[in-house]
Amino acid sequence: MSAVVQDPQLMVVNPPLVQGATDLHDLTDQISSVVEAKVYETPLKYWITLAFTGSIVLLLGAMLTYLVNTGIGVWGNNRPIGWAWDITNFVFWIGIGHAGTLISAILFLFRQKWRTSINRSAEAMTLFAVMCAGIFPLFHTGRPWRAFYWLFPIPNTDLNIWQNFRSPLIWDVFAVSTYFTVSLLFWFTGLVPDLATLRDRATSKIRQVVFGILSLGWRGSARHWRHYEQAYLILAGISTPLVLSVHSVVSFDFATSVIPGWHTTIFPPYFVAGAIFSGFACVMTLLLIARWTLNLQNLITIKHLDNMNKIILVTGSVVGYAYCTEFFIAWYSGDIYERFTFLNRAFGPYWWAAWSMYTCNVFIPQLYWFRKMRTNLWVMFIISITTNIGMWFERFVIIATSLTRDFLPSSWGYFSPTWVDICTFIGTIGLFLTLFLLFARFLPMIAMSEVKGVASIEKHSFAGQVEGSPSHR
Amino acid sequence: MSQTFDPAILIAQIKDKLGIGDDKVYAVMGEFAEPEDLVKAGRAIRDMGYTKIDAMTPFPVHGIDEAIGVPYSKIGWIAICGALAGITTAQVLIYYVGAIDYPLIIGGKPLFDFTYSIPPTFELAVLFTAITTFLCTWGLSGLPRLYHPSMNYRNAHRASDDRFLLVVEADDPKFDAQKTAQDMRSVGANDVEVVEG
């Protein structure tokens, strides 16, 4: 590929998405070298981090073993707050996953080319987040090895009962397990051409065999690509309503009940916006770390991060609007229980959680109105973390404050997490980070074939502008 | 083994030993450095009357399908069948479970109703569509496979890196190793080679 003279004025307004790499081979090298590095070539800080997060996974294992051995009484759930940290964490993790599908599917359908540098890691994040989410309901059953008979309609002879399909809880099982499967297939489909690249570059026998099998014999034939592109479009097309349905179904768990604070029709869109908000923040945290440790500045540019910050601002404001609507409807409904629940939410025993949530989710992201803030790495790193703290609090606030003071003052109560609650949640964070670190090191973190396609189109569109035919990407 | 392990050569050797080795020619292959050159050359080769043409590229090159005559993918139709199968499965399952095998009145709700069966039905439709699409992507492409004669081409490994390969298969009625290789060179291909399969 020859060097292209780019119009400097256009470069400022619309900088190229792939920088630094002079040709396609450079791109392949840049991305594959991370995967192909020898153990000692990977920075020591990577292995130390992995050892640290790996030890947190051991903590998770210990907590779950303790839970199964003793019973779920080791968690702090009790009347009146029967759903506490476990479902908070479940909704939190599912929400994190949503940004991955949004980036890979919805932005694909909207032809947003900037997604190519980040979609692979966002999809991986989805998978890992859903795994972490699944742990909580599974272990909340107390007997996870029996849970498959309770959760899925599998004929069984010991209980001789079926699930109740009128309950949103079973819808949730279908939604989340479908979500995981479809995300996995989508992710793997996108990975196959890149696995073929790794196979073709492999020098050791083990790598040749492993990548030879994983890449399914992909050779980039025009016929392969034709089927592949069609399939990718279909998978993106069905993932889009799927991702919107998953958090809607999760919100049905609450919305179909008659508890004041839960029984609202605004929940499905409100939950979906919140999920995208928290998910983008989480992608941002992970990408900033990966960009820094693995030196991916050329592929994950400020333009990518700026675009993501704009989405965080939009979804954060949608969430803020939903908070206001909730309060307005509580007042407008004239229902005294509804009014009490919302006053109690802001000024009751959990006021500190509610105000942490408003601050982190609504007030802080407003900084992103300013371009300076959207392009400052430190600012976006801090906001990505406060957003996730805020979104965790959102779920906790919805769940705990709606249950803490119900219709009878004699049964009011206050929830405090036990040390097992806290360690289990920390353990899932460790599991998530460990899986992500392993992925970043052992699989191509950036979709090579897609980035090459974009780089090639960009090169030619810029070349066209220089020749005098202005065109927009 | 003196050099790096090459499954293609190994398989060819085994085939030779077993006496099923064929000296059959698979195709004439050549490479291009730019996708536009590949599309132009593909069109030129097709205009010469060749019909069994293929291309190997590191990313989907748009325009190559029309240039060399790759038929439109039928995955969409199969995916719709998957979706219908999912809808049917879900409806039958929910009806059987709720209204036939384990009828239980809960909250005065009907034993079966279309409205509450929508969420699981939708999810199963998506699930079945995804699995069908996934399997068909590979199935229709003739994958998975461990060996393909195009691997014998000297630059085959660059098709997943930075080169754009053009293939004229030996099954083509107009195929003649010498003549086809010449035609390939005439449309601008580099490293033109007669590849054995």
Side-chain angles (χ1 to χ4, degrees), chain A residues 147-427:
Chain A
F148 291 96
Y149 293 110
W150 303 335
L151 297 176
F152 294 100
I154 304 168
N156 54 80
T157 49
D158 52 349
L159 293 169
N160 278 312
I161 57 170
W162 287 104
Q163 285 74 17
N164 171 19
F165 278 97
R166 280 153 284 192
S167 159
L169 292 175
I170 186 76
W171 305 348
D172 220 8
V173 173
F174 275 71
V176 173
S177 54
T178 300
Y179 185 45
F180 182 77
T181 317
V182 174
S183 302
L184 183 68
L185 297 181
F186 198 22
W187 181 68
F188 182 74
T189 305
L191 207 51
V192 164
D194 287 358
L195 292 172
T197 304
L198 291 176
R199 172 201 65 199
D200 291 343
R201 289 169 59 91
T203 44
S204 79
K205 198 181 287 186
I206 297 174
R207 298 182 72 87
Q208 283 179 336
V209 172
V210 169
F211 287 123
I213 291 169
L214 285 180
S215 65
L216 306 173
W218 180 266
R219 57 181 196 280
S221 148
R223 281 165 183 79
H224 291 183
W225 282 122
R226 191 128 230 210
H227 292 307
Y228 178 91
E229 285 203 289
Q230 187 75 20
Y232 206 84
L233 188 64
I234 294 170
L235 288 175
I238 58 171
S239 296
T240 301
L242 175 67
V243 68
L244 299 179
S245 85
V246 172
H247 232 57
S248 300
V249 169
V250 168
S251 78
F252 289 162
D253 292 347
F254 304 99
T256 56
S257 72
V258 289
I259 310 267
W262 286 3
H263 189 62
T264 57
T265 47
I266 197 181
F267 263 21
Y270 162 33
F271 268 51
V272 171
I276 293 165
F277 179 51
S278 66
F280 262 87
C282 193
V283 178
M284 182 64 90
T285 314
L286 292 177
L287 278 184
L288 287 174
I289 295 171
R291 184 177 188 264
W292 172 64
T293 51
L294 301 170
N295 296 323
L296 299 171
Q297 284 83 350
N298 286 333
L299 293 159
I300 302 166
T301 61
I302 291 288
K303 184 179 163 72
H304 293 112
L305 302 174
D306 184 23
N307 281 354
M308 288 174 64
N309 286 334
K310 285 178 187 163
I311 295 187
I312 290 178
L313 174 62
V314 170
T315 47
S317 304
V318 171
V319 168
Y321 172 71
Y323 296 157
C324 298
T325 310
E326 272 191 320
F327 272 97
F328 172 75
I329 295 295
W331 167 77
Y332 189 68
S333 69
D335 183 313
I336 53 164
Y337 300 103
E338 197 75 27
R339 282 183 182 179
F340 173 76
T341 301
F342 279 89
L343 282 178
N344 190 48
R345 184 170 285 181
F347 306 108
Y350 289 106
W351 64 271
W352 49 275
W355 288 100
S356 311
M357 156 181 127
Y358 300 137
T359 311
C360 292
N361 291 352
V362 188
F363 304 135
I364 294 179
Q366 301 308 322
L367 287 174
Y368 279 157
W369 285 104
F370 304 101
R371 191 185 176 84
K372 264 218 169 80
M373 297 294 170
R374 289 200 308 268
T375 50
N376 183 316
L377 293 174
W378 280 107
V379 169
M380 60 179 101
F381 188 70
I382 292 167
I383 294 186
S384 73
I385 288 172
T386 56
T387 298
N388 268 310
I389 296 173
M391 282 309 292
W392 187 88
F393 271 118
E394 180 192 301
R395 280 65 179 252
F396 179 73
V397 164
I398 290 173
I399 291 157
T401 64
S402 306
L403 294 172
T404 181
R405 293 181 167 178
D406 67 4
F407 302 99
L408 280 179
S410 60
S411 54
W412 288 3
Y414 189 80
F415 167 82
S416 307
T418 63
W419 63 277
V420 184
D421 270 317
I422 296 167
C423 292
T424 311
F425 181 52
I426 292 173

Side-chain angles (χ1 to χ4, degrees), chain A residues 13-33:
Chain A
V13 185
N14 209 358
L17 294 170
V18 182
Q19 297 171 353
T22 47
D23 62 10
L24 296 179
H25 184 70
D26 261 16
L27 252 171
T28 318
D29 262 352
Q30 251 189 45
I31 299 166
S32 314
S33 60

Side-chain angles (χ1 to χ4, degrees), chain A residues 162, chain B residues 95-103:
Chain A
W162 287 104
Chain B
Y95 185 78
Y96 174 76
V97 163
I100 298 176
D101 200 47
Y102 200 69

